[in-house]
mmCIF file of all heavy atoms in Angstrom:
data_model
loop_
_atom_site.group_PDB
_atom_site.id
_atom_site.type_symbol
_atom_site.label_atom_id
_atom_site.label_comp_id
_atom_site.label_asym_id
_atom_site.label_seq_id
_atom_site.Cartn_x
_atom_site.Cartn_y
_atom_site.Cartn_z
ATOM 1 N N PHE T 1 112.004 -17.054 18.692
ATOM 2 C CA PHE T 1 112.413 -17.815 17.513
ATOM 3 C C PHE T 1 111.414 -18.922 17.178
ATOM 4 O O PHE T 1 111.153 -19.207 16.005
ATOM 5 C CB PHE T 1 113.802 -18.426 17.725
ATOM 6 C CG PHE T 1 114.934 -17.425 17.688
ATOM 7 C CD1 PHE T 1 115.703 -17.190 18.816
ATOM 8 C CD2 PHE T 1 115.235 -16.731 16.532
ATOM 9 C CE1 PHE T 1 116.758 -16.282 18.790
ATOM 10 C CE2 PHE T 1 116.286 -15.822 16.484
ATOM 11 C CZ PHE T 1 117.048 -15.592 17.625
ATOM 12 N N THR T 2 110.844 -19.558 18.204
ATOM 13 C CA THR T 2 109.861 -20.618 17.966
ATOM 14 C C THR T 2 108.651 -20.079 17.216
ATOM 15 O O THR T 2 108.157 -20.696 16.266
ATOM 16 C CB THR T 2 109.416 -21.248 19.302
ATOM 17 O OG1 THR T 2 110.563 -21.782 19.956
ATOM 18 C CG2 THR T 2 108.411 -22.363 19.081
ATOM 19 N N VAL T 3 108.171 -18.920 17.625
ATOM 20 C CA VAL T 3 107.046 -18.289 16.945
ATOM 21 C C VAL T 3 107.446 -17.888 15.525
ATOM 22 O O VAL T 3 106.710 -18.129 14.559
ATOM 23 C CB VAL T 3 106.558 -17.065 17.741
ATOM 24 C CG1 VAL T 3 105.500 -16.292 16.953
ATOM 25 C CG2 VAL T 3 106.003 -17.500 19.085
ATOM 26 N N GLY T 4 108.617 -17.303 15.379
ATOM 27 C CA GLY T 4 109.076 -16.886 14.055
ATOM 28 C C GLY T 4 109.140 -18.033 13.064
ATOM 29 O O GLY T 4 108.749 -17.894 11.899
ATOM 30 N N ALA T 5 109.597 -19.196 13.517
ATOM 31 C CA ALA T 5 109.724 -20.353 12.624
ATOM 32 C C ALA T 5 108.381 -20.950 12.253
ATOM 33 O O ALA T 5 108.276 -21.689 11.269
ATOM 34 C CB ALA T 5 110.599 -21.421 13.278
ATOM 35 N N SER T 6 107.336 -20.629 13.019
ATOM 36 C CA SER T 6 106.014 -21.188 12.736
ATOM 37 C C SER T 6 105.235 -20.378 11.702
ATOM 38 O O SER T 6 104.180 -20.811 11.240
ATOM 39 C CB SER T 6 105.188 -21.253 14.028
ATOM 40 O OG SER T 6 104.769 -19.959 14.433
ATOM 41 N N LEU T 7 105.745 -19.215 11.322
ATOM 42 C CA LEU T 7 104.968 -18.281 10.517
ATOM 43 C C LEU T 7 105.132 -18.384 9.000
ATOM 44 O O LEU T 7 104.155 -18.153 8.271
ATOM 45 C CB LEU T 7 105.296 -16.836 10.931
ATOM 46 C CG LEU T 7 104.917 -16.444 12.354
ATOM 47 C CD1 LEU T 7 105.466 -15.052 12.669
ATOM 48 C CD2 LEU T 7 103.414 -16.468 12.527
ATOM 49 N N PRO T 8 106.315 -18.682 8.450
ATOM 50 C CA PRO T 8 106.493 -18.465 7.010
ATOM 51 C C PRO T 8 105.549 -19.238 6.096
ATOM 52 O O PRO T 8 104.846 -18.626 5.283
ATOM 53 C CB PRO T 8 107.964 -18.855 6.778
ATOM 54 C CG PRO T 8 108.632 -18.542 8.077
ATOM 55 C CD PRO T 8 107.623 -18.936 9.111
ATOM 56 N N ILE T 9 105.505 -20.563 6.170
ATOM 57 C CA ILE T 9 104.653 -21.306 5.230
ATOM 58 C C ILE T 9 103.183 -21.037 5.518
ATOM 59 O O ILE T 9 102.406 -20.703 4.614
ATOM 60 C CB ILE T 9 104.959 -22.815 5.264
ATOM 61 C CG1 ILE T 9 106.320 -23.088 4.617
ATOM 62 C CG2 ILE T 9 103.868 -23.604 4.539
ATOM 63 C CD1 ILE T 9 106.718 -24.554 4.579
ATOM 64 N N SER T 10 102.782 -21.170 6.773
ATOM 65 C CA SER T 10 101.367 -21.000 7.106
ATOM 66 C C SER T 10 100.905 -19.576 6.836
ATOM 67 O O SER T 10 99.851 -19.352 6.216
ATOM 68 C CB SER T 10 101.137 -21.356 8.577
ATOM 69 O OG SER T 10 101.571 -22.663 8.843
ATOM 70 N N GLY T 11 101.668 -18.611 7.311
ATOM 71 C CA GLY T 11 101.271 -17.220 7.151
ATOM 72 C C GLY T 11 101.270 -16.766 5.705
ATOM 73 O O GLY T 11 100.312 -16.136 5.238
ATOM 74 N N LEU T 12 102.339 -17.078 4.978
ATOM 75 C CA LEU T 12 102.417 -16.662 3.572
ATOM 76 C C LEU T 12 101.390 -17.382 2.709
ATOM 77 O O LEU T 12 100.815 -16.795 1.787
ATOM 78 C CB LEU T 12 103.825 -16.906 3.028
ATOM 79 C CG LEU T 12 104.927 -15.998 3.565
ATOM 80 C CD1 LEU T 12 106.290 -16.500 3.112
ATOM 81 C CD2 LEU T 12 104.720 -14.542 3.118
ATOM 82 N N THR T 13 101.151 -18.667 2.986
ATOM 83 C CA THR T 13 100.137 -19.408 2.228
ATOM 84 C C THR T 13 98.775 -18.761 2.402
ATOM 85 O O THR T 13 98.031 -18.538 1.433
ATOM 86 C CB THR T 13 100.098 -20.878 2.667
ATOM 87 O OG1 THR T 13 101.366 -21.489 2.410
ATOM 88 C CG2 THR T 13 99.021 -21.648 1.912
ATOM 89 N N ALA T 14 98.417 -18.455 3.645
ATOM 90 C CA ALA T 14 97.126 -17.819 3.910
ATOM 91 C C ALA T 14 97.051 -16.445 3.262
ATOM 92 O O ALA T 14 96.052 -16.101 2.618
ATOM 93 C CB ALA T 14 96.905 -17.720 5.415
ATOM 94 N N TRP T 15 98.105 -15.655 3.429
ATOM 95 C CA TRP T 15 98.120 -14.286 2.880
ATOM 96 C C TRP T 15 97.978 -14.298 1.366
ATOM 97 O O TRP T 15 97.133 -13.600 0.789
ATOM 98 C CB TRP T 15 99.417 -13.595 3.303
ATOM 99 C CG TRP T 15 99.464 -12.140 2.957
ATOM 100 C CD1 TRP T 15 99.699 -11.591 1.717
ATOM 101 C CD2 TRP T 15 99.245 -11.039 3.841
ATOM 102 N NE1 TRP T 15 99.661 -10.226 1.782
ATOM 103 C CE2 TRP T 15 99.381 -9.856 3.074
ATOM 104 C CE3 TRP T 15 98.965 -10.933 5.205
ATOM 105 C CZ2 TRP T 15 99.238 -8.581 3.631
ATOM 106 C CZ3 TRP T 15 98.835 -9.673 5.750
ATOM 107 C CH2 TRP T 15 98.967 -8.522 4.978
ATOM 108 N N GLN T 16 98.808 -15.111 0.713
ATOM 109 C CA GLN T 16 98.799 -15.121 -0.760
ATOM 110 C C GLN T 16 97.511 -15.711 -1.310
ATOM 111 O O GLN T 16 96.966 -15.234 -2.307
ATOM 112 C CB GLN T 16 100.032 -15.874 -1.269
ATOM 113 C CG GLN T 16 101.319 -15.115 -1.000
ATOM 114 C CD GLN T 16 102.584 -15.930 -1.178
ATOM 115 O OE1 GLN T 16 102.586 -16.981 -1.825
ATOM 116 N NE2 GLN T 16 103.683 -15.458 -0.597
ATOM 117 N N GLY T 17 97.001 -16.763 -0.655
ATOM 118 C CA GLY T 17 95.758 -17.371 -1.116
ATOM 119 C C GLY T 17 94.569 -16.444 -0.981
ATOM 120 O O GLY T 17 93.728 -16.360 -1.890
ATOM 121 N N LEU T 18 94.492 -15.719 0.135
ATOM 122 C CA LEU T 18 93.364 -14.826 0.363
ATOM 123 C C LEU T 18 93.438 -13.553 -0.464
ATOM 124 O O LEU T 18 92.461 -13.152 -1.112
ATOM 125 C CB LEU T 18 93.286 -14.448 1.849
ATOM 126 C CG LEU T 18 92.839 -15.528 2.827
ATOM 127 C CD1 LEU T 18 93.015 -15.040 4.260
ATOM 128 C CD2 LEU T 18 91.385 -15.935 2.570
ATOM 129 N N PHE T 19 94.600 -12.907 -0.456
ATOM 130 C CA PHE T 19 94.677 -11.546 -0.970
ATOM 131 C C PHE T 19 95.240 -11.445 -2.388
ATOM 132 O O PHE T 19 94.735 -10.671 -3.198
ATOM 133 C CB PHE T 19 95.481 -10.674 -0.007
ATOM 134 C CG PHE T 19 94.943 -10.700 1.396
ATOM 135 C CD1 PHE T 19 95.749 -11.014 2.471
ATOM 136 C CD2 PHE T 19 93.595 -10.449 1.640
ATOM 137 C CE1 PHE T 19 95.248 -11.055 3.768
ATOM 138 C CE2 PHE T 19 93.075 -10.488 2.934
ATOM 139 C CZ PHE T 19 93.912 -10.795 3.997
ATOM 140 N N GLN T 20 96.262 -12.241 -2.717
ATOM 141 C CA GLN T 20 96.803 -12.203 -4.084
ATOM 142 C C GLN T 20 95.922 -12.988 -5.052
ATOM 143 O O GLN T 20 95.561 -12.491 -6.114
ATOM 144 C CB GLN T 20 98.226 -12.777 -4.114
ATOM 145 C CG GLN T 20 99.294 -11.848 -3.602
ATOM 146 C CD GLN T 20 100.673 -12.471 -3.719
ATOM 147 O OE1 GLN T 20 101.427 -12.500 -2.765
ATOM 148 N NE2 GLN T 20 101.022 -13.003 -4.866
ATOM 149 N N HIS T 21 95.616 -14.226 -4.680
ATOM 150 C CA HIS T 21 94.898 -15.111 -5.596
ATOM 151 C C HIS T 21 93.385 -15.055 -5.405
ATOM 152 O O HIS T 21 92.628 -15.142 -6.368
ATOM 153 C CB HIS T 21 95.409 -16.543 -5.430
ATOM 154 C CG HIS T 21 96.883 -16.670 -5.624
ATOM 155 N ND1 HIS T 21 97.505 -16.419 -6.829
ATOM 156 C CD2 HIS T 21 97.885 -17.008 -4.754
ATOM 157 C CE1 HIS T 21 98.820 -16.602 -6.703
ATOM 158 N NE2 HIS T 21 99.067 -16.957 -5.457
ATOM 159 N N GLY T 22 92.933 -14.905 -4.167
ATOM 160 C CA GLY T 22 91.503 -14.868 -3.892
ATOM 161 C C GLY T 22 90.896 -13.484 -3.957
ATOM 162 O O GLY T 22 89.682 -13.330 -4.049
ATOM 163 N N ARG T 23 91.754 -12.446 -3.881
ATOM 164 C CA ARG T 23 91.307 -11.049 -3.937
ATOM 165 C C ARG T 23 90.140 -10.790 -2.997
ATOM 166 O O ARG T 23 89.123 -10.202 -3.367
ATOM 167 C CB ARG T 23 90.961 -10.665 -5.379
ATOM 168 C CG ARG T 23 92.157 -10.826 -6.314
ATOM 169 C CD ARG T 23 91.922 -10.332 -7.702
ATOM 170 N NE ARG T 23 93.108 -10.508 -8.525
ATOM 171 C CZ ARG T 23 93.209 -10.111 -9.793
ATOM 172 N NH1 ARG T 23 92.189 -9.532 -10.380
ATOM 173 N NH2 ARG T 23 94.331 -10.291 -10.465
ATOM 174 N N LEU T 24 90.324 -11.242 -1.781
ATOM 175 C CA LEU T 24 89.272 -11.141 -0.774
ATOM 176 C C LEU T 24 88.933 -9.688 -0.470
ATOM 177 O O LEU T 24 89.825 -8.845 -0.334
ATOM 178 C CB LEU T 24 89.729 -11.849 0.500
ATOM 179 C CG LEU T 24 88.734 -11.856 1.665
ATOM 180 C CD1 LEU T 24 87.513 -12.690 1.319
ATOM 181 C CD2 LEU T 24 89.415 -12.381 2.933
ATOM 182 N N GLN T 25 87.639 -9.425 -0.332
ATOM 183 C CA GLN T 25 87.143 -8.096 0.021
ATOM 184 C C GLN T 25 86.301 -8.187 1.295
ATOM 185 O O GLN T 25 85.694 -9.225 1.587
ATOM 186 C CB GLN T 25 86.265 -7.529 -1.110
ATOM 187 C CG GLN T 25 86.964 -7.421 -2.455
ATOM 188 C CD GLN T 25 88.088 -6.400 -2.449
ATOM 189 O OE1 GLN T 25 87.946 -5.328 -1.870
ATOM 190 N NE2 GLN T 25 89.202 -6.739 -3.095
ATOM 191 N N ALA T 26 86.250 -7.086 2.024
ATOM 192 C CA ALA T 26 85.406 -7.020 3.217
ATOM 193 C C ALA T 26 83.960 -7.319 2.847
ATOM 194 O O ALA T 26 83.481 -6.914 1.784
ATOM 195 C CB ALA T 26 85.514 -5.638 3.850
ATOM 196 N N GLY T 27 83.288 -8.066 3.712
ATOM 197 C CA GLY T 27 81.893 -8.408 3.477
ATOM 198 C C GLY T 27 81.684 -9.712 2.739
ATOM 199 O O GLY T 27 80.551 -10.203 2.653
ATOM 200 N N GLN T 28 82.766 -10.304 2.219
ATOM 201 C CA GLN T 28 82.637 -11.589 1.531
ATOM 202 C C GLN T 28 82.670 -12.731 2.537
ATOM 203 O O GLN T 28 83.002 -12.545 3.708
ATOM 204 C CB GLN T 28 83.759 -11.748 0.499
ATOM 205 C CG GLN T 28 83.641 -10.797 -0.677
ATOM 206 C CD GLN T 28 84.687 -11.076 -1.745
ATOM 207 O OE1 GLN T 28 85.826 -11.421 -1.456
ATOM 208 N NE2 GLN T 28 84.289 -10.912 -3.008
ATOM 209 N N SER T 29 82.299 -13.922 2.069
ATOM 210 C CA SER T 29 82.307 -15.108 2.923
ATOM 211 C C SER T 29 83.388 -16.068 2.447
ATOM 212 O O SER T 29 83.632 -16.223 1.244
ATOM 213 C CB SER T 29 80.946 -15.800 2.888
ATOM 214 O OG SER T 29 80.562 -16.095 1.556
ATOM 215 N N VAL T 30 84.051 -16.725 3.417
ATOM 216 C CA VAL T 30 85.160 -17.635 3.137
ATOM 217 C C VAL T 30 84.871 -18.990 3.764
ATOM 218 O O VAL T 30 84.524 -19.069 4.956
ATOM 219 C CB VAL T 30 86.490 -17.086 3.699
ATOM 220 C CG1 VAL T 30 87.623 -18.093 3.505
ATOM 221 C CG2 VAL T 30 86.845 -15.751 3.051
ATOM 222 N N LEU T 31 85.000 -20.053 2.979
ATOM 223 C CA LEU T 31 84.959 -21.410 3.499
ATOM 224 C C LEU T 31 86.405 -21.859 3.686
ATOM 225 O O LEU T 31 87.143 -22.048 2.713
ATOM 226 C CB LEU T 31 84.231 -22.335 2.522
ATOM 227 C CG LEU T 31 84.122 -23.810 2.917
ATOM 228 C CD1 LEU T 31 83.369 -23.985 4.223
ATOM 229 C CD2 LEU T 31 83.464 -24.619 1.801
ATOM 230 N N ALA T 32 86.829 -21.976 4.946
ATOM 231 C CA ALA T 32 88.223 -22.290 5.272
ATOM 232 C C ALA T 32 88.319 -23.739 5.733
ATOM 233 O O ALA T 32 87.951 -24.071 6.863
ATOM 234 C CB ALA T 32 88.731 -21.359 6.362
ATOM 235 N N HIS T 33 88.817 -24.597 4.850
ATOM 236 C CA HIS T 33 88.982 -26.004 5.223
ATOM 237 C C HIS T 33 90.180 -26.163 6.160
ATOM 238 O O HIS T 33 91.152 -25.417 6.083
ATOM 239 C CB HIS T 33 89.153 -26.862 3.976
ATOM 240 C CG HIS T 33 87.884 -27.045 3.205
ATOM 241 N ND1 HIS T 33 86.734 -27.516 3.790
ATOM 242 C CD2 HIS T 33 87.570 -26.809 1.894
ATOM 243 C CE1 HIS T 33 85.765 -27.575 2.881
ATOM 244 N NE2 HIS T 33 86.241 -27.149 1.733
ATOM 245 N N GLY T 34 90.092 -27.164 7.030
ATOM 246 C CA GLY T 34 91.180 -27.405 7.979
ATOM 247 C C GLY T 34 91.414 -26.224 8.896
ATOM 248 O O GLY T 34 92.553 -25.849 9.177
ATOM 249 N N ALA T 35 90.330 -25.639 9.404
ATOM 250 C CA ALA T 35 90.427 -24.365 10.121
ATOM 251 C C ALA T 35 91.168 -24.463 11.448
ATOM 252 O O ALA T 35 91.551 -23.443 12.009
ATOM 253 C CB ALA T 35 89.026 -23.794 10.344
ATOM 254 N N ALA T 36 91.371 -25.667 11.969
ATOM 255 C CA ALA T 36 92.136 -25.822 13.204
ATOM 256 C C ALA T 36 93.606 -26.116 12.932
ATOM 257 O O ALA T 36 94.407 -26.216 13.865
ATOM 258 C CB ALA T 36 91.545 -26.948 14.057
ATOM 259 N N GLY T 37 93.975 -26.255 11.662
ATOM 260 C CA GLY T 37 95.342 -26.572 11.291
ATOM 261 C C GLY T 37 96.225 -25.341 11.193
ATOM 262 O O GLY T 37 95.782 -24.204 11.388
ATOM 263 N N ALA T 38 97.486 -25.567 10.859
ATOM 264 C CA ALA T 38 98.462 -24.476 10.815
ATOM 265 C C ALA T 38 98.084 -23.426 9.772
ATOM 266 O O ALA T 38 98.123 -22.224 10.040
ATOM 267 C CB ALA T 38 99.854 -25.037 10.535
ATOM 268 N N VAL T 39 97.724 -23.857 8.554
ATOM 269 C CA VAL T 39 97.326 -22.916 7.509
ATOM 270 C C VAL T 39 95.915 -22.401 7.752
ATOM 271 O O VAL T 39 95.654 -21.191 7.694
ATOM 272 C CB VAL T 39 97.431 -23.564 6.111
ATOM 273 C CG1 VAL T 39 96.846 -22.641 5.035
ATOM 274 C CG2 VAL T 39 98.878 -23.887 5.774
ATOM 275 N N GLY T 40 94.983 -23.301 8.028
ATOM 276 C CA GLY T 40 93.584 -22.915 8.177
ATOM 277 C C GLY T 40 93.345 -21.903 9.283
ATOM 278 O O GLY T 40 92.498 -21.007 9.150
ATOM 279 N N SER T 41 94.090 -22.008 10.375
ATOM 280 C CA SER T 41 93.921 -21.044 11.461
ATOM 281 C C SER T 41 94.420 -19.661 11.049
ATOM 282 O O SER T 41 93.861 -18.635 11.481
ATOM 283 C CB SER T 41 94.640 -21.524 12.720
ATOM 284 O OG SER T 41 96.024 -21.713 12.490
ATOM 285 N N MET T 42 95.452 -19.611 10.219
ATOM 286 C CA MET T 42 95.924 -18.332 9.678
ATOM 287 C C MET T 42 94.907 -17.758 8.696
ATOM 288 O O MET T 42 94.629 -16.555 8.697
ATOM 289 C CB MET T 42 97.276 -18.518 8.980
ATOM 290 C CG MET T 42 98.426 -18.774 9.915
ATOM 291 S SD MET T 42 98.942 -17.275 10.761
ATOM 292 C CE MET T 42 100.339 -17.878 11.688
ATOM 293 N N VAL T 43 94.359 -18.616 7.835
ATOM 294 C CA VAL T 43 93.328 -18.173 6.883
ATOM 295 C C VAL T 43 92.160 -17.555 7.650
ATOM 296 O O VAL T 43 91.677 -16.468 7.310
ATOM 297 C CB VAL T 43 92.841 -19.358 6.021
ATOM 298 C CG1 VAL T 43 91.608 -18.968 5.210
ATOM 299 C CG2 VAL T 43 93.955 -19.846 5.107
ATOM 300 N N THR T 44 91.718 -18.245 8.694
ATOM 301 C CA THR T 44 90.580 -17.764 9.480
ATOM 302 C C THR T 44 90.851 -16.389 10.073
ATOM 303 O O THR T 44 90.031 -15.458 9.950
ATOM 304 C CB THR T 44 90.261 -18.767 10.605
ATOM 305 O OG1 THR T 44 89.900 -20.026 10.022
ATOM 306 C CG2 THR T 44 89.133 -18.272 11.484
ATOM 307 N N GLN T 45 92.001 -16.237 10.702
ATOM 308 C CA GLN T 45 92.304 -14.978 11.380
ATOM 309 C C GLN T 45 92.484 -13.822 10.398
ATOM 310 O O GLN T 45 91.961 -12.718 10.614
ATOM 311 C CB GLN T 45 93.566 -15.132 12.226
ATOM 312 C CG GLN T 45 93.417 -16.077 13.401
ATOM 313 C CD GLN T 45 94.727 -16.269 14.124
ATOM 314 O OE1 GLN T 45 95.079 -15.513 15.028
ATOM 315 N NE2 GLN T 45 95.481 -17.280 13.724
ATOM 316 N N LEU T 46 93.223 -14.057 9.319
ATOM 317 C CA LEU T 46 93.464 -12.985 8.346
ATOM 318 C C LEU T 46 92.187 -12.595 7.621
ATOM 319 O O LEU T 46 91.952 -11.419 7.330
ATOM 320 C CB LEU T 46 94.547 -13.404 7.352
ATOM 321 C CG LEU T 46 95.968 -13.505 7.924
ATOM 322 C CD1 LEU T 46 96.909 -14.112 6.885
ATOM 323 C CD2 LEU T 46 96.479 -12.139 8.362
#
């Protein structure tokens, strides 16, 4: 449950920002601000 509660805002923010709004494609480069934070670490991994 602890892991589950940590995912919605950070995970969805990263997912929607990268893929819905950013339309990220393989081979592109991403500048991820706050990369050690809750959202930034999700952005980096995804």
Side-chain angles (χ1 to χ4, degrees):
F1 288 116
T2 301
V3 173
S6 73
L7 296 173
I9 289 181
S10 303
L12 290 171
T13 299
W15 188 283
Q16 291 166 19
L18 288 172
F19 305 126
Q20 283 182 231
H21 304 295
R23 301 186 179 183
L24 181 67
Q25 302 294 319
Q28 292 186 323
S29 55
V30 175
L31 179 60
H33 287 306
V39 173
S41 59
M42 289 285 183
V43 170
T44 298
Q45 293 175 88
L46 290 172

